[in-house]
Amino acid sequence: MLTSLLDNDFYKITMQNAVIKRFPYAQARYAFINRGEHHFPDGFGAVLRREVDKMAALRLSNEEKRYLQVTCPYLDPTYLDFLAGFHYDPSEVIIEQQGHDLSVVIEGPWYRTILWEVPLMALISELWYQLRDVIVSREDDALVEQRTRDKIELYRRLGLKIAEFGTRRRFSFAIHDRVVGALHHYGGEAFSGTSNVLLAMRHGVKPIGTHAHEWFMFHGARFGFKMANSLALEHWVDVYRGDLGIALTDTFTSRVFFDSFDKKFAKLFDGVRHDSGDPIDFAAATIAHYERLGIDPLSKTIIFSDALTPEKVERIQTFCQNRIGMAFGIGTNFTNDVGVEPMNMVIKMVEARPEGQDWLPVIKLSDVPDKHTGDQDMISLAKRVLSLSRASV
């Protein structure tokens, strides 16, 4: 089902490069989290196992390597040579099915295992429909391009910048490809690119992404919760020297992040990404933070990327217009708007083993308490260390 090493989100590649540079001996463990309590059909795990085993044959082509060289000059030749020699090791993925319950665990060197999350989720999502004989009606199939066109033309009329972030929970690769094609064809300047590197290359658009929660989660395990945000940002700057300058805010709540996002980082980074909690509250807090630091919010950008719909985007634009720069990353609403229910699932890093240390649980303290992930004892410890009251988190 997967045909290219680049059928992955761009921030997995940028983080892999950073991990190789900063933490080459770190180990990581990831787990599938079935938030929607989906019941998997008999044999699902076996089919997924076969697809994962096939991924061992994927290699970066010469054409793909040249594309990265030209498009991403901040990825140095040593990393691109590494990626050209990289292949997935299916033994790093343990898949078990008990009745209708599916367990997927990934374990191994962080610089290798970091690439599994997104393609595995894409496989699980596509197989979820295939093995349950869920098909797109002819009417819905015929409307894929039209629905995409209607959305991007609305955003274009509003003068917004929109990126596509929908690899994980897409209905299928074929639908995803058609959606990106329609966005490129009808979006004009409103369409800024896609997180999927293969489709960015195929359609001649920009690959979009910087880093994810796991970058900060690992720093929490390695350096402690108090230092996690500031050192994660510092190490990112060390690797990319001003490129890829959007900072993710909500690994240990945005309130804690802004305590570390001092004038140095606020000036160095082009902006921040919102991924949980009320977007209007977040925008107000971000604007106030920049103003306290004497920085014009209009010189910075918020990337909104949390379960966006056209209605939600319009509400955010109304609030942010002429107050702060804004752009939007839209995922499932683009790539799985075909008349079926999208899956509710994630794959998250759950443990890390920094060099010279034992395995430690890693956690995420979302701006929405129901989305906290990780070991409950470690979550409680982090709340105490970070002075987060029960009422606020």
Side-chain angles (χ1 to χ4, degrees), residues 230-375:
S230 58
L231 286 176
L233 296 173
E234 193 73 57
H235 290 151
W236 194 257
V237 171
D238 286 346
V239 173
Y240 287 110
R241 316 303 297 177
D243 285 311
L244 304 174
I246 297 295
L248 183 60
T249 59
D250 68 334
T251 307
F252 303 110
T253 75
S254 293
R255 195 187 88 191
V256 170
F257 173 86
F258 282 122
D259 287 342
S260 299
F261 200 59
D262 61 14
K263 195 165 190 174
K264 170 188 170 180
F265 290 129
K267 284 196 167 187
L268 279 173
F269 281 83
D270 300 322
V272 296
R273 179 159 72 92
H274 168 263
D275 197 52
S276 65
D278 185 88
I280 304 303
D281 290 345
F282 178 84
T286 303
I287 291 167
H289 185 73
Y290 281 127
E291 288 176 342
R292 280 194 300 272
L293 296 175
I295 297 171
D296 180 3
L298 286 171
S299 69
K300 301 296 180 178
T301 299
I302 301 175
I303 308 293
F304 295 93
S305 60
D306 181 29
L308 296 176
T309 62
E311 295 76 20
K312 196 171 180 180
V313 169
E314 286 194 75
R315 184 166 68 92
I316 294 168
Q317 187 207 24
T318 299
F319 181 83
C320 293
Q321 190 75 45
N322 299 319
R323 300 185 69 190
I324 192 167
M326 60 186 138
F328 301 85
I330 299 177
T332 308
N333 188 255
F334 275 145
T335 61
N336 205 338
D337 185 11
V338 290
V340 302
E341 187 70 23
M343 295 191 75
N344 183 5
M345 48 117 180
V346 294
I347 291 176
K348 291 288 185 184
M349 182 189 285
V350 292
E351 291 183 274
R353 188 181 182 185
E355 181 181 1
Q357 298 184 23
D358 293 328
W359 285 100
L360 288 170
V362 299
I363 62 163
K364 171 176 172 281
L365 300 180
S366 168
D367 286 336
V368 177
D370 289 347
K371 289 187 177 181
H372 291 349
T373 59
D375 179 81

Side-chain angles (χ1 to χ4, degrees), residues 7 70 76 88 131-132 138 193 214 229 264 289 325 357:
D7 190 2
V70 172
D76 56 65
Y88 286 107
L131 298 184
R132 292 165 55 248
R138 289 186 178 181
E214 67 183 282
N229 284 317
K264 170 188 170 180
H289 185 73
Q357 298 184 23

Side-chain angles (χ1 to χ4, degrees), residues 84-334:
F86 178 87
H87 65 87
Y88 286 107
D89 179 356
S91 71
E92 295 167 349
V93 183
I94 302 166
I95 301 170
E96 296 178 349
Q97 183 173 357
Q98 297 291 332
H100 295 299
D101 295 327
L102 180 71
S103 170
V104 181
V105 176
I106 306 155
E107 181 180 323
W110 190 21
Y111 74 87
R112 294 186 50 81
T113 54
I114 197 167
L115 290 192
W116 279 111
E117 174 194 345
V118 175
L120 266 177
M121 288 182 66
L123 281 175
I124 291 169
S125 183
E126 188 160 355
L127 288 172
W128 167 250
Y129 300 111
Q130 283 190 10
L131 298 184
R132 292 165 55 248
D133 296 320
V134 175
I135 60 173
V136 178
S137 69
R138 289 186 178 181
E139 179 183 1
D140 282 318
D141 186 68
L143 288 174
V144 167
E145 285 87 352
Q146 186 60 52
R147 286 173 175 162
T148 306
R149 178 180 181 176
D150 291 343
K151 291 171 188 174
I152 195 62
E153 288 186 343
L154 167 64
Y155 299 137
R156 190 176 182 178
R157 288 193 300 272
L158 293 173
L160 300 177
K161 293 286 187 181
I162 305 293
E164 181 277 310
F165 283 3
T167 302
R168 286 170 168 78
R169 299 174 191 88
R170 66 192 183 194
F171 180 82
S172 67
F173 176 80
I175 293 290
H176 194 179
D177 187 27
R178 289 166 62 189
V179 165
V180 175
L183 290 169
H184 181 44
H185 184 73
Y186 297 110
E189 293 184 358
F191 182 50
S192 56
T194 172
S195 64
N196 187 286
V197 189
L198 175 62
L199 293 179
M201 176 180 168
R202 178 176 291 190
H203 293 281
V205 299
K206 183 179 179 181
I208 303 290
T210 54
H211 47 239
H213 294 106
E214 67 183 282
W215 180 250
F216 295 85
M217 292 162 72
F218 175 86
H219 280 76
R222 173 64 181 85
F223 301 104
F225 300 119
K226 284 282 192 182
M227 297 301 296
N229 284 317
S230 58
L231 286 176
L233 296 173
E234 193 73 57
H235 290 151
W236 194 257
V237 171
D238 286 346
V239 173
Y240 287 110
R241 316 303 297 177
D243 285 311
L244 304 174
I246 297 295
L248 183 60
T249 59
D250 68 334
T251 307
F252 303 110
T253 75
S254 293
R255 195 187 88 191
V256 170
F257 173 86
F258 282 122
D259 287 342
S260 299
F261 200 59
D262 61 14
K263 195 165 190 174
K264 170 188 170 180
F265 290 129
K267 284 196 167 187
L268 279 173
F269 281 83
D270 300 322
V272 296
R273 179 159 72 92
H274 168 263
D275 197 52
S276 65
D278 185 88
I280 304 303
D281 290 345
F282 178 84
T286 303
I287 291 167
H289 185 73
Y290 281 127
E291 288 176 342
R292 280 194 300 272
L293 296 175
I295 297 171
D296 180 3
L298 286 171
S299 69
K300 301 296 180 178
T301 299
I302 301 175
I303 308 293
F304 295 93
S305 60
D306 181 29
L308 296 176
T309 62
E311 295 76 20
K312 196 171 180 180
V313 169
E314 286 194 75
R315 184 166 68 92
I316 294 168
Q317 187 207 24
T318 299
F319 181 83
C320 293
Q321 190 75 45
N322 299 319
R323 300 185 69 190
I324 192 167
M326 60 186 138
F328 301 85
I330 299 177
T332 308
N333 188 255
F334 275 145

